[in-house]
Amino acid sequence: MKKYFLTLLAFSVLLISPSGSYAENSKDNIQERIERGELKKLPSTEIELTIDSGTGELLNTEELSSIHLAAIEELEDETGEKLDKNFEISEYEVQELHLEENTGEEVSLRSKTGGSGVKLVAGLIIDERNKEIVSYVEIEDINVARVALITGKVTLESSTNRKRSYRDEDVFHYTFTAPEIKETAMKVSDPVSIVDTNFWRTVSTSLATWPNGKTDADHKVGKEFLLNKKGIEYPKYRDSHSRIKMFEPDEADLAWVPNNQREPRESGKRGLYIDWYENKYGTPDFSWDDVDIHHIIPLAYGGDNSYDNLIPLPKDFHRKEVTPWWASYGKYVPSGDDY
């Protein structure tokens, strides 16, 4: 069984390293900036690390420390970097077993899996003012037994196509020690500049060790977010009456179509669309005078006049959020052209 844990820790050798920093901000400082609207937090995925008191092998303090130390030293050899080794588990922490074992009392476990665990959230933090993006991992919830150590990595990836290959933009390694776990801490990477429209996501791998020596690992690919070259997330909208959704394009680099080559706007299309809409969905509770008929994929980027590509949008939302988003989508717009 010990070989299993050694294998698991060998797998996580690339996961262990001190966390990056975003302008040396503390979690509280970052949260304050999010609350002030200076940063936008986009949770991407949840990581569940759980144990069941009836399974797994127990490792003592010396074994746990030596395994983590070996992993860190191997990573140092590979990278040539000197890494923080302030991870060791104290004897006091090792003795803090499950509450049931310490007190003999039955405890109602909150974990849905029936064991003790910890939930982490990984995702993105966007700084639109500086056109920067960072990845983060945060301890969201702890169930019953406090974890002694969590190590892991979060890879920030981007792609020009939602469904195709992603490239690594940044990898940050983190370690949560027992005091940080108790405080449900947050770790963030160094910032990455946003220069083009892309899909962004995080890929997270984490390993938790409990004071009784049990471990669990989890690997998650997070939800992708489409950000334009100003770092602004694609606007979300669903028509409350028809339930038509303003879908995201699958491409982050749609080619600009010159005015004389794109599908022309159809005369009278607005009236035809209103008739089609009401025949299919009935009379809406909004006034047509208050909405624009929006091309979800603009004609300037290869969209067409089909009803599937049209949606009624409130005028303010269309003109203040959707149009500006597309204005910062493409790499180049010819002078005097529009969409």
Side-chain angles (χ1 to χ4, degrees):
M1 181 64 77
K2 289 182 181 177
K3 288 184 178 179
Y4 167 76
F5 285 106
L6 288 170
T7 301
L8 185 57
L9 267 295
F11 168 74
S12 67
V13 65
L14 296 177
L15 314 184
I16 304 174
S17 173
S19 68
S21 62
Y22 186 38
E24 301 301 322
N25 280 321
S26 67
K27 174 186 174 182
D28 289 342
N29 206 4
I30 292 172
Q31 295 288 20
E32 289 172 3
R33 294 185 65 195
I34 291 171
E35 290 171 5
R36 291 198 298 266
E38 297 173 8
L39 303 174
K40 185 171 184 178
K41 187 177 181 183
L42 302 175
S44 178
T45 187
E46 291 184 351
I47 304 165
E48 298 277 0
L49 299 163
T50 61
I51 58 171
D52 189 304
S53 58
T55 62
E57 181 188 32
L58 302 184
L59 302 179
N60 62 34
T61 310
E62 184 177 349
E63 289 173 317
L64 285 172
S65 295
S66 65
I67 289 172
H68 282 276
L69 181 59
I72 290 179
E73 288 177 344
E74 186 172 339
L75 184 60
E76 285 183 330
D77 290 340
E78 290 183 359
T79 64
E81 299 178 13
K82 287 295 181 183
L83 305 177
D84 182 11
K85 298 183 178 65
N86 183 27
F87 64 89
E88 294 188 8
I89 309 166
S90 69
E91 291 289 346
Y92 174 76
E93 290 166 341
V94 171
Q95 291 170 4
E96 286 191 339
L97 305 179
H98 294 254
L99 293 177
E100 302 97 311
E101 297 174 30
N102 284 340
T103 65
E105 299 175 1
E106 289 189 6
V107 178
S108 174
L109 303 181
R110 289 183 288 126
S111 173
K112 293 180 181 179
T113 60
S116 298
V118 59
K119 179 191 293 182
L120 297 95
V121 176
L124 312 173
I125 295 175
I126 313 301
D127 185 344
E128 294 179 4
R129 182 181 62 183
N130 295 311
K131 298 182 184 178
E132 292 179 337
I133 184 171
V134 301
S135 52
Y136 77 90
V137 61
E138 181 178 17
I139 298 173
E140 184 176 77
D141 190 28
I142 302 168
N143 295 321
V144 184
R146 189 165 80 243
V147 179
L149 182 69
I150 301 174
T151 56
K153 76 171 181 178
V154 178
T155 303
L156 177 65
E157 297 185 335
S158 69
S159 177
T160 57
N161 187 294
R162 178 200 306 277
K163 300 176 182 178
R164 295 179 189 162
S165 60
Y166 281 72
R167 60 183 178 272
D168 293 356
E169 298 288 352
D170 179 73
V171 179
F172 97 88
H173 303 263
Y174 63 86
T175 299
F176 288 113
T177 57
E180 293 174 312
I181 295 168
K182 185 177 181 180
E183 296 174 0
T184 59
M186 172 192 284
K187 304 280 187 179
V188 296
S189 71
D190 289 321
V192 172
S193 295
I194 299 172
V195 294
D196 290 319
T197 300
N198 274 310
F199 289 95
W200 297 83
R201 71 182 186 187
T202 58
V203 178
S204 309
T205 306
S206 300
L207 173 68
T209 303
W210 276 261
N212 61 5
K214 295 173 184 176
T215 64
D216 187 30
D218 195 8
H219 177 78
K220 290 286 180 64
V221 177
K223 173 187 175 184
E224 70 280 349
F225 296 93
L226 178 59
L227 308 180
N228 67 13
K229 60 188 179 183
K230 285 189 175 181
I232 301 173
E233 184 184 7
Y234 183 79
K236 293 179 173 58
Y237 185 80
R238 185 184 290 273
D239 179 35
S240 60
H241 180 74
S242 66
R243 308 305 296 166
I244 297 172
K245 182 180 179 181
M246 188 173 70
F247 58 84
E248 292 182 355
D250 286 331
E251 302 280 352
D253 59 352
L254 291 170
W256 176 268
V257 180
N259 215 338
N260 61 355
Q261 297 177 24
R262 71 187 63 155
E263 184 169 325
R265 294 182 182 275
E266 294 181 11
S267 176
K269 187 68 176 183
R270 177 182 173 88
L272 293 172
Y273 178 80
I274 292 173
D275 290 341
W276 171 86
Y277 181 103
E278 293 192 346
N279 285 333
K280 185 168 184 177
Y281 301 109
T283 303
D285 55 6
F286 58 79
S287 170
W288 288 105
D289 291 337
D290 296 332
V291 302
D292 292 329
I293 308 303
H294 169 63
H295 289 78
I296 299 175
I297 304 298
L299 300 176
Y301 286 106
D304 58 31
N305 291 299
S306 66
Y307 293 142
D308 289 343
N309 192 44
L310 299 177
I311 186 172
L313 295 182
K315 288 182 177 179
D316 274 358
F317 176 72
H318 182 216
R319 299 173 189 184
K320 294 179 180 179
E321 295 191 43
V322 178
T323 297
W325 190 91
W326 280 102
S328 295
Y329 170 86
K331 293 181 175 63
Y332 172 71
V333 177
S335 177
D337 208 344
D338 62 26
Y339 61 94

